[in-house]
Amino acid sequence: MRKIAPALADAGWDVTVYGRDGSTRDDDPDRDPRVRTRITGGVETKSVSTLSYGFTAVLDAVRRRPDAVLVMNVANGFWLPLLSLRGIPSLVNVDGIEWERAKWGALAKFVFKSGARFTARFGTRLVGDAREIVRRWNSEFGRDAVFIPYGGEEPGDLPVEEGLQHRRYVLAVARFVPENTISEFIDAARLVAEEHDVVIVGSSGYGGEFDERVERLAAESDRVTWLGHVSDDKRLLALWQHAGAYFHGHSVGGTNPALVQAMLCGAPIVARDTVYNREVLEASGEFVQPEPGAIAQALSDLLSDPARQESLSTSARDRARQHYTWEGVCRRYEEELASLVDSRRSWVREP
């Protein structure tokens, strides 16, 4: 919502964003003063946090009765009947196929799948961030969805991270969960680091096996740097911009925001071979199976081929400029919301 809400305000909308305590700050320099925020209550636990905050936000919206509501995530699908009963149209971004993520247990997967069924039944209009997501929703739930991907921004020239060299290091940016091919990449990084620098950005957020393995690898090899979570956007953009090979191991979900941003930074990309990554990259990336030896070979080969690096960098940036900019994404959201409001007004006017 950091990009969509201000864009809607630019288009003349009166925008309110719901959040939880601590999610926004009055002194945030990136906060758009035209966008109102409303904080509602909820239960801060991993299992019910999204459900509880979504419920209180929907209750508040039902009372205020906006012209339309943009809903993110099918976990909020349980509360869509409340909006429907109130005559408030909803535009629902269904996000990824959450019930297939390895990080969730059986109960969480059941909740997400049930929320998806509610979304399919009660969402006024659905948004899929990848064409494959749109296809899945049509085949599994019998619902059509409009395709609107995620976007990114093209940075200007940024400095190389101290201690690194342009196009001479491997970069990985990911949350440490199994479906992001983290285990396989750690083993591959050990092989790559015999000859090349490796930079790893991310963590599990709560410690655990993957964090311990990366910490141990960084301690054993002076070619491996683990930065953990990087909150400085410019620093992260610079790491993508100067990488010699960026490994993108995400295997579920639709259009991945990190992949799109890496493309706009001109990173030469080696991606896990999935239908989603192929849809986004097409011919502007290399694809590899989730096996440590294959990953290491693909990354090392790319680091040793400057011509291929620049070819992939140029084609990835050009493709993202054409299909994955925030300007185009925000315009599509505004068009869909305006269409929903017009449809509602036409229905209300009918005798």
Side-chain angles (χ1 to χ4, degrees), residues 289-325:
Q289 295 300 312
E291 192 278 320
I295 295 169
Q297 188 66 57
L299 293 170
S300 296
D301 288 349
L302 188 52
L303 283 175
S304 302
D305 190 344
R308 182 60 174 161
Q309 286 178 332
E310 293 315 305
S311 174
L312 290 177
S313 173
T314 299
S315 60
R317 188 185 291 111
D318 288 346
R319 177 163 173 76
R321 284 171 177 166
Q322 184 176 0
H323 298 286
Y324 299 105
T325 64

Side-chain angles (χ1 to χ4, degrees), residues 6-56:
L8 291 173
D10 287 341
W13 290 74
D14 183 357
V15 183
T16 298
V17 175
Y18 284 91
R20 61 189 69 183
D21 191 31
S23 61
T24 60
R25 302 195 324 269
D26 291 336
D27 61 347
D28 184 349
D30 295 326
R31 180 177 178 181
D32 191 317
R34 300 170 302 172
V35 177
R36 296 186 182 91
T37 57
R38 288 191 61 78
I39 305 300
T40 60
V43 180
E44 283 290 354
T45 68
K46 183 179 179 181
S47 57
V48 301
S49 175
T50 297
L51 288 171
S52 61
Y53 281 102
F55 177 60
T56 57

Side-chain angles (χ1 to χ4, degrees), residues 53-65:
Y53 281 102
F55 177 60
T56 57
V58 166
L59 284 181
D60 190 77
V62 164
R63 183 171 64 87
R64 293 175 176 276
R65 202 168 187 178

Side-chain angles (χ1 to χ4, degrees), residues 95-122:
D95 203 11
I97 310 298
E98 288 291 329
W99 52 94
E100 292 185 356
R101 293 186 185 273
K103 69 177 181 179
W104 298 121
L107 178 59
K109 290 180 179 180
F110 173 78
V111 169
F112 277 116
K113 190 66 175 284
S114 299
R117 293 191 179 101
F118 271 78
T119 298
R121 182 173 179 182
F122 295 102

Side-chain angles (χ1 to χ4, degrees), residues 210-223:
F210 293 147
D211 298 70
E212 293 170 3
R213 288 175 60 189
V214 172
E215 183 178 26
R216 187 162 56 248
L217 178 60
E220 294 171 354
S221 174
D222 58 4
R223 284 189 174 275

Side-chain angles (χ1 to χ4, degrees), residues 56-343:
T56 57
V58 166
L59 284 181
D60 190 77
V62 164
R63 183 171 64 87
R64 293 175 176 276
R65 202 168 187 178
D67 292 317
V69 174
L70 173 58
V71 179
M72 313 300 283
N73 198 313
V74 296
N76 291 310
F78 294 103
W79 320 128
L80 293 177
L82 300 176
L83 297 175
S84 181
L85 286 171
R86 188 64 166 163
I88 303 170
S90 58
L91 180 65
V92 187
N93 183 314
V94 300
D95 203 11
I97 310 298
E98 288 291 329
W99 52 94
E100 292 185 356
R101 293 186 185 273
K103 69 177 181 179
W104 298 121
L107 178 59
K109 290 180 179 180
F110 173 78
V111 169
F112 277 116
K113 190 66 175 284
S114 299
R117 293 191 179 101
F118 271 78
T119 298
R121 182 173 179 182
F122 295 102
T124 311
R125 191 169 302 174
L126 309 184
V127 173
D129 62 45
R131 298 187 189 281
E132 176 62 14
I133 295 291
V134 172
R135 187 196 67 78
R136 287 283 301 269
W137 273 76
N138 183 273
S139 64
E140 293 184 29
F141 301 104
R143 277 297 305 267
D144 290 328
V146 295
F147 166 58
I148 308 178
Y150 288 110
E153 294 180 334
E154 190 170 354
D157 292 336
L158 297 169
V160 183
E161 178 91 3
E162 185 176 353
L164 299 175
Q165 297 180 354
H166 178 71
R167 293 288 186 260
R168 300 293 296 276
Y169 62 92
V170 165
L171 174 67
V173 179
R175 185 172 178 83
F176 290 1
V177 292
E179 58 263 31
N180 291 345
T181 325
I182 292 300
S183 181
E184 296 86 350
F185 177 76
I186 295 170
D187 291 338
R190 186 179 299 277
L191 299 173
V192 173
E194 294 176 3
E195 298 183 10
H196 305 284
D197 290 335
V198 178
V199 178
I200 303 173
V201 176
S203 70
S204 68
Y206 51 83
E209 176 193 355
F210 293 147
D211 298 70
E212 293 170 3
R213 288 175 60 189
V214 172
E215 183 178 26
R216 187 162 56 248
L217 178 60
E220 294 171 354
S221 174
D222 58 4
R223 284 189 174 275
V224 177
T225 301
W226 180 30
L227 298 178
H229 173 70
V230 173
S231 58
D232 184 336
D233 288 345
K234 286 190 176 180
R235 186 184 188 191
L236 183 56
L237 294 175
L239 287 167
W240 269 316
Q241 189 174 84
H242 296 287
Y246 166 59
F247 176 69
H248 184 79
H250 296 65
S251 63
V252 298
T255 298
N256 185 271
L259 178 57
V260 168
Q261 190 57 71
M263 293 167 71
L264 282 163
C265 288
I269 298 168
V270 173
R272 177 168 171 169
D273 195 352
T274 70
V275 64
Y276 304 112
N277 292 337
R278 282 193 176 272
E279 176 183 322
V280 175
L281 285 165
E282 288 196 344
S284 65
E286 303 277 6
F287 299 96
V288 66
Q289 295 300 312
E291 192 278 320
I295 295 169
Q297 188 66 57
L299 293 170
S300 296
D301 288 349
L302 188 52
L303 283 175
S304 302
D305 190 344
R308 182 60 174 161
Q309 286 178 332
E310 293 315 305
S311 174
L312 290 177
S313 173
T314 299
S315 60
R317 188 185 291 111
D318 288 346
R319 177 163 173 76
R321 284 171 177 166
Q322 184 176 0
H323 298 286
Y324 299 105
T325 64
W326 274 121
E327 180 182 3
V329 168
C330 292
R331 182 176 63 252
R332 290 287 291 113
Y333 271 102
E334 200 277 329
E335 291 171 350
E336 292 300 329
L337 286 166
S339 175
L340 276 182
V341 172
D342 289 343
S343 296

